[in-house]
Amino acid sequence: MKKNRKNLALLLLAASLLAGCAGQSNSQSSQSSQAKSEKKAESKASSKSAAKSAASSAVSSTKSSSSQASSKSAAKSAASSAVSSTKSSSSQASSKSSAASSSQRADVNRMGTLTSQLRVKLPGMLLPAADGLGQGSSNLNIRYTSSSSQNVVYYSVGNSPLALNDSRIASEKPYAVLTEKKNVADASSLINYQEPKTGLPAVKIASNVTGTEEGAAGSTYLQFNQGQWSFVVRASNVQGQKPLPTAQKLLALYQQYGLPDTAAKSSVQVDVGESLGSLNTVITWAKGSSVYQLKAHSAETAFKMLKSLN
């Protein structure tokens, strides 16, 4: 009986040990399974993270490429715009230059056309080929009178170009008047040449040119001579004018443009002050049996016109 109890106890102990081993095995298996699950989860998470990173990198790369493409497109657009602008500016400049050139040609042609017509009407008279104007040449108008003793040509600028000797030109103020007196017996009486004066205060006009100055009747007269020409400048004392600046300008114009060839002594007389219609510059000289006189509103205009005389 005791032996049976002992055997029963051994069986129970063995069963208990077997149960414990089985539980432990199950526990280890469960832990191993859990570990494997965790590893799979980590692997999936890692894969997802890598995928996200790759996707983010792809997006970033795409954005960068898009940005670079956009920058290149903008640069090309800017370059194209700059080229277009340059071409436009060049085209405008070319158009303006062409228009200015066309205008200058029209101005020259007008003076040339009117002068050619004058030569037919006044054969043998010396005439200028240049109008002497700084502006207004496109509206240059010319009228003339002629007789057996003299020819007179009036140069003016109107509101519109008119035909030679159009009656409406008579109402325009001339900026220059050229006169030819024909078959003159005594040219000196018309020319009014002034011999160099002595005993008067000397005035230095240039480094190698000296003139003389004298006062009379509320005016100051400054005179100097060059070759066959006498130059006299009158300034009004009442108006506070000074003759020296005008005398210096006259000398400079003479040195730049010269004056008509003349065997006789000739003269240049200028009143200080220039205005349209004033005709304050008077240049008189002889050519053959004729005496010519050009009156102009400015000395520079007169010298330019006489430079082209033929």
Side-chain angles (χ1 to χ4, degrees), residues 94-148:
S94 178
S95 297
K96 287 181 180 180
S97 176
S98 178
S101 178
S102 177
S103 176
Q104 289 174 354
R105 286 195 300 271
D107 295 346
V108 171
N109 289 341
R110 178 156 182 77
M111 180 63 178
T113 299
L114 292 173
T115 301
S116 295
Q117 294 173 6
L118 267 178
R119 293 191 191 284
V120 175
K121 302 294 184 181
L122 307 173
M125 181 179 180
L126 293 174
L127 295 169
D131 59 28
L133 294 171
Q135 58 183 5
S137 296
S138 58
N139 287 333
L140 170 70
N141 291 319
I142 298 176
R143 68 182 181 91
Y144 71 93
T145 61
S146 181
S147 68
S148 59

Side-chain angles (χ1 to χ4, degrees), residues 61-189:
S61 176
T62 302
K63 287 183 177 179
S64 176
S65 298
S66 176
S67 176
Q68 289 177 356
S70 177
S71 297
K72 287 181 180 179
S73 177
K76 285 183 180 179
S77 178
S80 176
S81 177
V83 169
S84 176
S85 176
T86 301
K87 287 182 178 178
S88 176
S89 298
S90 176
S91 177
Q92 289 177 356
S94 178
S95 297
K96 287 181 180 180
S97 176
S98 178
S101 178
S102 177
S103 176
Q104 289 174 354
R105 286 195 300 271
D107 295 346
V108 171
N109 289 341
R110 178 156 182 77
M111 180 63 178
T113 299
L114 292 173
T115 301
S116 295
Q117 294 173 6
L118 267 178
R119 293 191 191 284
V120 175
K121 302 294 184 181
L122 307 173
M125 181 179 180
L126 293 174
L127 295 169
D131 59 28
L133 294 171
Q135 58 183 5
S137 296
S138 58
N139 287 333
L140 170 70
N141 291 319
I142 298 176
R143 68 182 181 91
Y144 71 93
T145 61
S146 181
S147 68
S148 59
S149 60
Q150 71 174 18
N151 297 322
V152 184
V153 181
Y154 302 85
Y155 297 84
S156 61
V157 175
N159 295 322
S160 61
L162 300 172
L164 178 68
N165 243 24
D166 188 293
S167 60
R168 290 170 290 180
I169 301 175
S171 62
E172 298 174 356
K173 285 186 177 181
Y175 69 84
V177 178
L178 178 62
T179 301
E180 177 194 18
K181 292 188 179 294
K182 297 179 280 187
N183 303 315
V184 177
D186 182 14
S188 61
S189 62

Side-chain angles (χ1 to χ4, degrees), residues 192-215:
N192 196 29
Y193 171 83
Q194 299 293 309
E195 294 287 349
K197 292 182 171 57
T198 59
L200 294 173
V203 177
K204 188 175 183 179
I205 298 171
S207 59
N208 59 343
V209 179
T210 301
T212 57
E213 188 176 86
E214 66 178 326

Side-chain angles (χ1 to χ4, degrees), residues 40-52:
K40 286 183 179 180
E42 287 178 359
S43 176
K44 287 182 179 180
S46 177
S47 297
K48 286 183 179 179
S49 176
K52 285 183 178 179

